[in-house]
PDB file of all heavy atoms in Angstrom:
ATOM      1  N   GLY A 269      24.379  37.381 115.668  1.00  0.00           N
ATOM      2  CA  GLY A 269      23.544  38.084 116.709  1.00  0.00           C
ATOM      3  C   GLY A 269      24.303  39.274 117.096  1.00  0.00           C
ATOM      4  O   GLY A 269      24.568  40.147 116.351  1.00  0.00           O
ATOM      5  N   LYS A 270      24.507  39.359 118.454  1.00  0.00           N
ATOM      6  CA  LYS A 270      25.187  40.528 118.972  1.00  0.00           C
ATOM      7  C   LYS A 270      26.704  40.432 118.950  1.00  0.00           C
ATOM      8  O   LYS A 270      27.456  41.375 119.223  1.00  0.00           O
ATOM      9  CB  LYS A 270      24.793  40.818 120.412  1.00  0.00           C
ATOM     10  CG  LYS A 270      23.350  41.327 120.487  1.00  0.00           C
ATOM     11  CD  LYS A 270      22.993  41.686 121.900  1.00  0.00           C
ATOM     12  CE  LYS A 270      21.628  42.354 121.984  1.00  0.00           C
ATOM     13  NZ  LYS A 270      21.278  42.843 123.376  1.00  0.00           N
ATOM     14  N   TRP A 271      27.223  39.177 118.597  1.00  0.00           N
ATOM     15  CA  TRP A 271      28.640  39.002 118.568  1.00  0.00           C
ATOM     16  C   TRP A 271      29.162  39.281 117.097  1.00  0.00           C
ATOM     17  O   TRP A 271      28.447  39.121 116.099  1.00  0.00           O
ATOM     18  CB  TRP A 271      28.939  37.544 118.827  1.00  0.00           C
ATOM     19  CG  TRP A 271      28.780  37.184 120.330  1.00  0.00           C
ATOM     20  CD1 TRP A 271      27.685  36.700 120.897  1.00  0.00           C
ATOM     21  CD2 TRP A 271      29.728  37.347 121.351  1.00  0.00           C
ATOM     22  NE1 TRP A 271      27.830  36.596 122.303  1.00  0.00           N
ATOM     23  CE2 TRP A 271      29.126  36.964 122.558  1.00  0.00           C
ATOM     24  CE3 TRP A 271      31.119  37.817 121.368  1.00  0.00           C
ATOM     25  CZ2 TRP A 271      29.833  37.039 123.786  1.00  0.00           C
ATOM     26  CZ3 TRP A 271      31.803  37.807 122.570  1.00  0.00           C
ATOM     27  CH2 TRP A 271      31.139  37.441 123.703  1.00  0.00           C
ATOM     28  N   GLN A 272      30.423  39.532 117.016  1.00  0.00           N
ATOM     29  CA  GLN A 272      31.082  39.605 115.704  1.00  0.00           C
ATOM     30  C   GLN A 272      32.558  38.952 115.894  1.00  0.00           C
ATOM     31  O   GLN A 272      33.139  39.144 116.978  1.00  0.00           O
ATOM     32  CB  GLN A 272      31.157  40.988 115.071  1.00  0.00           C
ATOM     33  CG  GLN A 272      32.203  41.856 115.634  1.00  0.00           C
ATOM     34  CD  GLN A 272      32.286  43.195 114.986  1.00  0.00           C
ATOM     35  OE1 GLN A 272      32.284  44.183 115.744  1.00  0.00           O
ATOM     36  NE2 GLN A 272      32.363  43.338 113.700  1.00  0.00           N
ATOM     37  N   ALA A 273      33.025  38.418 114.872  1.00  0.00           N
ATOM     38  CA  ALA A 273      34.306  37.798 114.914  1.00  0.00           C
ATOM     39  C   ALA A 273      34.885  37.731 113.514  1.00  0.00           C
ATOM     40  O   ALA A 273      34.211  37.687 112.485  1.00  0.00           O
ATOM     41  CB  ALA A 273      34.263  36.353 115.551  1.00  0.00           C
ATOM     42  N   GLY A 274      36.272  37.688 113.434  1.00  0.00           N
ATOM     43  CA  GLY A 274      36.858  37.638 112.160  1.00  0.00           C
ATOM     44  C   GLY A 274      38.302  38.025 112.172  1.00  0.00           C
ATOM     45  O   GLY A 274      38.967  38.084 113.200  1.00  0.00           O
ATOM     46  N   ALA A 275      38.872  38.294 111.000  1.00  0.00           N
ATOM     47  CA  ALA A 275      40.289  38.580 110.804  1.00  0.00           C
ATOM     48  C   ALA A 275      40.477  40.014 110.400  1.00  0.00           C
ATOM     49  O   ALA A 275      39.655  40.621 109.769  1.00  0.00           O
ATOM     50  CB  ALA A 275      40.866  37.719 109.743  1.00  0.00           C
ATOM     51  N   VAL A 276      41.596  40.574 110.830  1.00  0.00           N
ATOM     52  CA  VAL A 276      41.999  41.933 110.475  1.00  0.00           C
ATOM     53  C   VAL A 276      43.439  41.919 109.960  1.00  0.00           C
ATOM     54  O   VAL A 276      44.209  40.948 110.408  1.00  0.00           O
ATOM     55  CB  VAL A 276      41.787  42.970 111.611  1.00  0.00           C
ATOM     56  CG1 VAL A 276      40.369  43.069 111.976  1.00  0.00           C
ATOM     57  CG2 VAL A 276      42.650  42.541 112.802  1.00  0.00           C
ATOM     58  N   ALA A 277      43.819  42.861 109.252  1.00  0.00           N
ATOM     59  CA  ALA A 277      45.296  42.992 108.781  1.00  0.00           C
ATOM     60  C   ALA A 277      45.487  44.492 108.392  1.00  0.00           C
ATOM     61  O   ALA A 277      44.598  45.213 108.028  1.00  0.00           O
ATOM     62  CB  ALA A 277      45.534  42.069 107.590  1.00  0.00           C
ATOM     63  N   PHE A 278      46.831  44.872 108.448  1.00  0.00           N
ATOM     64  CA  PHE A 278      47.154  46.177 107.990  1.00  0.00           C
ATOM     65  C   PHE A 278      48.658  46.162 107.487  1.00  0.00           C
ATOM     66  O   PHE A 278      49.452  45.301 107.861  1.00  0.00           O
ATOM     67  CB  PHE A 278      46.895  47.207 109.034  1.00  0.00           C
ATOM     68  CG  PHE A 278      47.702  47.079 110.340  1.00  0.00           C
ATOM     69  CD1 PHE A 278      48.953  47.547 110.469  1.00  0.00           C
ATOM     70  CD2 PHE A 278      47.114  46.388 111.419  1.00  0.00           C
ATOM     71  CE1 PHE A 278      49.692  47.445 111.659  1.00  0.00           C
ATOM     72  CE2 PHE A 278      47.787  46.336 112.571  1.00  0.00           C
ATOM     73  CZ  PHE A 278      49.102  46.754 112.780  1.00  0.00           C
ATOM     74  N   GLY A 279      48.915  47.143 106.681  1.00  0.00           N
ATOM     75  CA  GLY A 279      50.251  47.282 106.200  1.00  0.00           C
ATOM     76  C   GLY A 279      50.555  48.772 106.125  1.00  0.00           C
ATOM     77  O   GLY A 279      49.633  49.669 106.016  1.00  0.00           O
ATOM     78  N   SER A 280      51.825  49.234 106.274  1.00  0.00           N
ATOM     79  CA  SER A 280      52.186  50.609 106.238  1.00  0.00           C
ATOM     80  C   SER A 280      53.549  50.735 105.592  1.00  0.00           C
ATOM     81  O   SER A 280      54.336  49.802 105.710  1.00  0.00           O
ATOM     82  CB  SER A 280      52.256  51.240 107.579  1.00  0.00           C
ATOM     83  OG  SER A 280      53.299  50.732 108.382  1.00  0.00           O
ATOM     84  N   THR A 281      53.795  51.831 104.857  1.00  0.00           N
ATOM     85  CA  THR A 281      55.111  52.080 104.228  1.00  0.00           C
ATOM     86  C   THR A 281      55.293  53.597 104.008  1.00  0.00           C
ATOM     87  O   THR A 281      54.365  54.312 103.768  1.00  0.00           O
ATOM     88  CB  THR A 281      55.146  51.343 102.955  1.00  0.00           C
ATOM     89  OG1 THR A 281      56.570  51.517 102.362  1.00  0.00           O
ATOM     90  CG2 THR A 281      54.137  51.816 101.926  1.00  0.00           C
ATOM     91  N   ASP A 282      56.609  53.967 104.283  1.00  0.00           N
ATOM     92  CA  ASP A 282      56.981  55.308 103.807  1.00  0.00           C
ATOM     93  C   ASP A 282      57.079  55.228 102.313  1.00  0.00           C
ATOM     94  O   ASP A 282      57.321  54.236 101.633  1.00  0.00           O
ATOM     95  CB  ASP A 282      58.393  55.597 104.286  1.00  0.00           C
ATOM     96  CG  ASP A 282      58.421  56.047 105.734  1.00  0.00           C
ATOM     97  OD1 ASP A 282      57.264  56.085 106.403  1.00  0.00           O
ATOM     98  OD2 ASP A 282      59.467  56.222 106.343  1.00  0.00           O
ATOM     99  N   LEU A 283      56.814  56.426 101.728  1.00  0.00           N
ATOM    100  CA  LEU A 283      56.945  56.580 100.204  1.00  0.00           C
ATOM    101  C   LEU A 283      58.286  57.167  99.820  1.00  0.00           C
ATOM    102  O   LEU A 283      58.900  57.764 100.713  1.00  0.00           O
ATOM    103  CB  LEU A 283      55.823  57.452  99.719  1.00  0.00           C
ATOM    104  CG  LEU A 283      54.413  56.820  99.923  1.00  0.00           C
ATOM    105  CD1 LEU A 283      53.336  57.815  99.414  1.00  0.00           C
ATOM    106  CD2 LEU A 283      54.273  55.436  99.238  1.00  0.00           C
ATOM    107  N   PRO A 284      58.771  56.996  98.653  1.00  0.00           N
ATOM    108  CA  PRO A 284      60.164  57.443  98.307  1.00  0.00           C
ATOM    109  C   PRO A 284      60.380  58.895  98.569  1.00  0.00           C
ATOM    110  O   PRO A 284      59.528  59.806  98.361  1.00  0.00           O
ATOM    111  CB  PRO A 284      60.175  57.158  96.766  1.00  0.00           C
ATOM    112  CG  PRO A 284      59.228  56.023  96.571  1.00  0.00           C
ATOM    113  CD  PRO A 284      58.108  56.276  97.559  1.00  0.00           C
ATOM    114  N   THR A 285      61.554  59.160  99.104  1.00  0.00           N
ATOM    115  CA  THR A 285      61.924  60.597  99.377  1.00  0.00           C
ATOM    116  C   THR A 285      62.987  61.214  98.476  1.00  0.00           C
ATOM    117  O   THR A 285      63.188  62.395  98.411  1.00  0.00           O
ATOM    118  CB  THR A 285      62.516  60.639 100.903  1.00  0.00           C
ATOM    119  OG1 THR A 285      63.733  59.832 100.871  1.00  0.00           O
ATOM    120  CG2 THR A 285      61.526  60.077 101.865  1.00  0.00           C
ATOM    121  N   GLY A 286      63.725  60.257  97.841  1.00  0.00           N
ATOM    122  CA  GLY A 286      64.829  60.784  97.080  1.00  0.00           C
ATOM    123  C   GLY A 286      66.077  61.248  97.867  1.00  0.00           C
ATOM    124  O   GLY A 286      66.965  61.798  97.318  1.00  0.00           O
ATOM    125  N   ARG A 287      66.042  60.989  99.132  1.00  0.00           N
ATOM    126  CA  ARG A 287      67.170  61.433 100.057  1.00  0.00           C
ATOM    127  C   ARG A 287      68.163  60.218 100.246  1.00  0.00           C
ATOM    128  O   ARG A 287      67.700  59.153 100.686  1.00  0.00           O
ATOM    129  CB  ARG A 287      66.531  61.833 101.371  1.00  0.00           C
ATOM    130  CG  ARG A 287      65.784  63.121 101.266  1.00  0.00           C
ATOM    131  CD  ARG A 287      65.166  63.479 102.683  1.00  0.00           C
ATOM    132  NE  ARG A 287      64.397  64.667 102.611  1.00  0.00           N
ATOM    133  CZ  ARG A 287      64.776  65.911 102.811  1.00  0.00           C
ATOM    134  NH1 ARG A 287      66.076  66.081 102.989  1.00  0.00           N
ATOM    135  NH2 ARG A 287      63.972  66.915 102.738  1.00  0.00           N
ATOM    136  N   LEU A 288      69.352  60.500 100.030  1.00  0.00           N
ATOM    137  CA  LEU A 288      70.440  59.499 100.190  1.00  0.00           C
ATOM    138  C   LEU A 288      70.556  59.128 101.728  1.00  0.00           C
ATOM    139  O   LEU A 288      70.574  59.965 102.530  1.00  0.00           O
ATOM    140  CB  LEU A 288      71.752  60.024  99.674  1.00  0.00           C
ATOM    141  CG  LEU A 288      72.914  59.020  99.763  1.00  0.00           C
ATOM    142  CD1 LEU A 288      72.645  57.847  98.787  1.00  0.00           C
ATOM    143  CD2 LEU A 288      74.201  59.700  99.401  1.00  0.00           C
ATOM    144  N   GLY A 289      70.468  57.813 101.962  1.00  0.00           N
ATOM    145  CA  GLY A 289      70.694  57.362 103.279  1.00  0.00           C
ATOM    146  C   GLY A 289      69.378  57.274 104.106  1.00  0.00           C
ATOM    147  O   GLY A 289      69.369  56.837 105.329  1.00  0.00           O
ATOM    148  N   TYR A 290      68.231  57.729 103.570  1.00  0.00           N
ATOM    149  CA  TYR A 290      66.974  57.578 104.328  1.00  0.00           C
ATOM    150  C   TYR A 290      66.546  56.123 104.466  1.00  0.00           C
ATOM    151  O   TYR A 290      66.558  55.379 103.589  1.00  0.00           O
ATOM    152  CB  TYR A 290      65.850  58.360 103.608  1.00  0.00           C
ATOM    153  CG  TYR A 290      64.586  58.420 104.310  1.00  0.00           C
ATOM    154  CD1 TYR A 290      64.245  59.440 105.222  1.00  0.00           C
ATOM    155  CD2 TYR A 290      63.532  57.457 104.151  1.00  0.00           C
ATOM    156  CE1 TYR A 290      63.078  59.458 105.928  1.00  0.00           C
ATOM    157  CE2 TYR A 290      62.343  57.463 104.750  1.00  0.00           C
ATOM    158  CZ  TYR A 290      62.147  58.486 105.689  1.00  0.00           C
ATOM    159  OH  TYR A 290      60.983  58.448 106.347  1.00  0.00           O
ATOM    160  N   ARG A 291      66.198  55.790 105.706  1.00  0.00           N
ATOM    161  CA  ARG A 291      65.838  54.446 105.971  1.00  0.00           C
ATOM    162  C   ARG A 291      64.360  54.303 105.988  1.00  0.00           C
ATOM    163  O   ARG A 291      63.621  54.643 106.969  1.00  0.00           O
ATOM    164  CB  ARG A 291      66.425  53.981 107.395  1.00  0.00           C
ATOM    165  CG  ARG A 291      67.950  53.894 107.352  1.00  0.00           C
ATOM    166  CD  ARG A 291      68.471  53.369 108.668  1.00  0.00           C
ATOM    167  NE  ARG A 291      68.231  54.369 109.746  1.00  0.00           N
ATOM    168  CZ  ARG A 291      67.962  54.086 111.080  1.00  0.00           C
ATOM    169  NH1 ARG A 291      67.961  52.800 111.403  1.00  0.00           N
ATOM    170  NH2 ARG A 291      67.887  55.006 111.909  1.00  0.00           N
ATOM    171  N   HIS A 292      63.784  53.761 105.025  1.00  0.00           N
ATOM    172  CA  HIS A 292      62.371  53.600 104.892  1.00  0.00           C
ATOM    173  C   HIS A 292      61.801  52.558 105.826  1.00  0.00           C
ATOM    174  O   HIS A 292      62.480  51.511 106.078  1.00  0.00           O
ATOM    175  CB  HIS A 292      61.975  53.325 103.450  1.00  0.00           C
ATOM    176  CG  HIS A 292      62.125  54.325 102.426  1.00  0.00           C
ATOM    177  ND1 HIS A 292      61.169  55.370 102.200  1.00  0.00           N
ATOM    178  CD2 HIS A 292      63.211  54.606 101.639  1.00  0.00           C
ATOM    179  CE1 HIS A 292      61.680  56.188 101.344  1.00  0.00           C
ATOM    180  NE2 HIS A 292      62.926  55.731 100.908  1.00  0.00           N
ATOM    181  N   VAL A 293      60.680  52.783 106.440  1.00  0.00           N
ATOM    182  CA  VAL A 293      60.124  51.912 107.397  1.00  0.00           C
ATOM    183  C   VAL A 293      58.799  51.325 106.807  1.00  0.00           C
ATOM    184  O   VAL A 293      58.110  51.991 106.038  1.00  0.00           O
ATOM    185  CB  VAL A 293      59.815  52.562 108.781  1.00  0.00           C
ATOM    186  CG1 VAL A 293      61.155  53.107 109.424  1.00  0.00           C
ATOM    187  CG2 VAL A 293      58.885  53.761 108.696  1.00  0.00           C
ATOM    188  N   GLY A 294      58.407  50.203 107.342  1.00  0.00           N
ATOM    189  CA  GLY A 294      57.117  49.565 106.860  1.00  0.00           C
ATOM    190  C   GLY A 294      56.810  48.352 107.731  1.00  0.00           C
ATOM    191  O   GLY A 294      57.739  47.792 108.436  1.00  0.00           O
ATOM    192  N   GLN A 295      55.650  47.874 107.705  1.00  0.00           N
ATOM    193  CA  GLN A 295      55.214  46.649 108.398  1.00  0.00           C
ATOM    194  C   GLN A 295      54.016  46.067 107.738  1.00  0.00           C
ATOM    195  O   GLN A 295      53.181  46.787 107.094  1.00  0.00           O
ATOM    196  CB  GLN A 295      54.961  46.979 109.860  1.00  0.00           C
ATOM    197  CG  GLN A 295      53.709  47.833 110.077  1.00  0.00           C
ATOM    198  CD  GLN A 295      53.529  48.238 111.598  1.00  0.00           C
ATOM    199  OE1 GLN A 295      53.476  49.377 111.790  1.00  0.00           O
ATOM    200  NE2 GLN A 295      53.432  47.249 112.505  1.00  0.00           N
ATOM    201  N   VAL A 296      53.783  44.779 108.018  1.00  0.00           N
ATOM    202  CA  VAL A 296      52.593  44.059 107.702  1.00  0.00           C
ATOM    203  C   VAL A 296      52.163  43.261 108.865  1.00  0.00           C
ATOM    204  O   VAL A 296      53.070  42.512 109.466  1.00  0.00           O
ATOM    205  CB  VAL A 296      52.774  43.130 106.447  1.00  0.00           C
ATOM    206  CG1 VAL A 296      51.526  42.337 106.203  1.00  0.00           C
ATOM    207  CG2 VAL A 296      53.196  43.905 105.254  1.00  0.00           C
ATOM    208  N   ALA A 297      50.922  43.463 109.346  1.00  0.00           N
ATOM    209  CA  ALA A 297      50.525  42.711 110.564  1.00  0.00           C
ATOM    210  C   ALA A 297      49.206  42.012 110.292  1.00  0.00           C
ATOM    211  O   ALA A 297      48.326  42.557 109.456  1.00  0.00           O
ATOM    212  CB  ALA A 297      50.376  43.705 111.693  1.00  0.00           C
ATOM    213  N   VAL A 298      48.841  41.035 110.980  1.00  0.00           N
ATOM    214  CA  VAL A 298      47.603  40.327 110.909  1.00  0.00           C
ATOM    215  C   VAL A 298      47.101  39.997 112.292  1.00  0.00           C
ATOM    216  O   VAL A 298      47.918  39.924 113.259  1.00  0.00           O
ATOM    217  CB  VAL A 298      47.738  39.031 110.082  1.00  0.00           C
ATOM    218  CG1 VAL A 298      48.086  39.280 108.635  1.00  0.00           C
ATOM    219  CG2 VAL A 298      48.659  37.984 110.666  1.00  0.00           C
ATOM    220  N   GLY A 299      45.815  39.701 112.417  1.00  0.00           N
ATOM    221  CA  GLY A 299      45.325  39.352 113.752  1.00  0.00           C
ATOM    222  C   GLY A 299      43.845  38.959 113.650  1.00  0.00           C
ATOM    223  O   GLY A 299      43.282  38.811 112.594  1.00  0.00           O
ATOM    224  N   GLY A 300      43.209  38.750 114.865  1.00  0.00           N
ATOM    225  CA  GLY A 300      41.825  38.356 114.965  1.00  0.00           C
ATOM    226  C   GLY A 300      41.089  39.353 115.840  1.00  0.00           C
ATOM    227  O   GLY A 300      41.664  40.050 116.706  1.00  0.00           O
ATOM    228  N   LEU A 301      39.796  39.498 115.567  1.00  0.00           N
ATOM    229  CA  LEU A 301      38.936  40.486 116.271  1.00  0.00           C
ATOM    230  C   LEU A 301      37.706  39.745 116.770  1.00  0.00           C
ATOM    231  O   LEU A 301      37.101  38.895 116.119  1.00  0.00           O
ATOM    232  CB  LEU A 301      38.575  41.564 115.280  1.00  0.00           C
ATOM    233  CG  LEU A 301      37.596  42.632 115.776  1.00  0.00           C
ATOM    234  CD1 LEU A 301      37.894  43.974 115.088  1.00  0.00           C
ATOM    235  CD2 LEU A 301      36.082  42.260 115.552  1.00  0.00           C
ATOM    236  N   VAL A 302      37.317  40.185 117.957  1.00  0.00           N
ATOM    237  CA  VAL A 302      35.950  39.705 118.518  1.00  0.00           C
ATOM    238  C   VAL A 302      35.239  40.950 119.038  1.00  0.00           C
ATOM    239  O   VAL A 302      35.878  41.931 119.631  1.00  0.00           O
ATOM    240  CB  VAL A 302      36.186  38.753 119.754  1.00  0.00           C
ATOM    241  CG1 VAL A 302      34.850  38.416 120.369  1.00  0.00           C
ATOM    242  CG2 VAL A 302      36.836  37.475 119.236  1.00  0.00           C
ATOM    243  N   GLY A 303      33.917  41.059 118.807  1.00  0.00           N
ATOM    244  CA  GLY A 303      33.222  42.234 119.222  1.00  0.00           C
ATOM    245  C   GLY A 303      31.830  41.836 119.751  1.00  0.00           C
ATOM    246  O   GLY A 303      31.332  40.663 119.495  1.00  0.00           O
ATOM    247  N   TYR A 304      31.278  42.705 120.543  1.00  0.00           N
ATOM    248  CA  TYR A 304      29.930  42.378 121.221  1.00  0.00           C
ATOM    249  C   TYR A 304      29.164  43.738 121.239  1.00  0.00           C
ATOM    250  O   TYR A 304      29.651  44.698 121.671  1.00  0.00           O
ATOM    251  CB  TYR A 304      30.068  41.857 122.597  1.00  0.00           C
ATOM    252  CG  TYR A 304      28.684  41.354 123.121  1.00  0.00           C
ATOM    253  CD1 TYR A 304      28.175  40.172 122.814  1.00  0.00           C
ATOM    254  CD2 TYR A 304      28.054  42.182 123.989  1.00  0.00           C
ATOM    255  CE1 TYR A 304      26.948  39.750 123.328  1.00  0.00           C
ATOM    256  CE2 TYR A 304      26.762  41.788 124.505  1.00  0.00           C
ATOM    257  CZ  TYR A 304      26.209  40.595 124.109  1.00  0.00           C
ATOM    258  OH  TYR A 304      25.052  40.154 124.666  1.00  0.00           O
ATOM    259  N   ALA A 305      27.889  43.729 120.790  1.00  0.00           N
ATOM    260  CA  ALA A 305      26.945  44.832 120.813  1.00  0.00           C
ATOM    261  C   ALA A 305      26.167  44.837 121.985  1.00  0.00           C
ATOM    262  O   ALA A 305      25.146  44.055 122.033  1.00  0.00           O
ATOM    263  CB  ALA A 305      26.159  44.872 119.535  1.00  0.00           C
TER     264      ALA A 305
END
């Protein structure tokens, strides 16, 4: 109906730089979503 519900997720990462000592960052996250129209 006017409700929506479900799961969401996302990931992020730096790409290679070729720089010595560069600390690459990244994450993976998950969660739940509720919506109403």
Side-chain angles (χ1 to χ4, degrees):
K270 291 187 176 184
W271 288 93
Q272 78 177 129
V276 295
F278 60 85
S280 68
T281 184
D282 285 356
L283 297 178
T285 64
R287 294 178 181 270
L288 184 65
Y290 183 87
R291 293 182 292 152
H292 291 275
V293 301
Q295 68 185 121
V296 176
V298 299
L301 178 149
V302 175
Y304 187 82

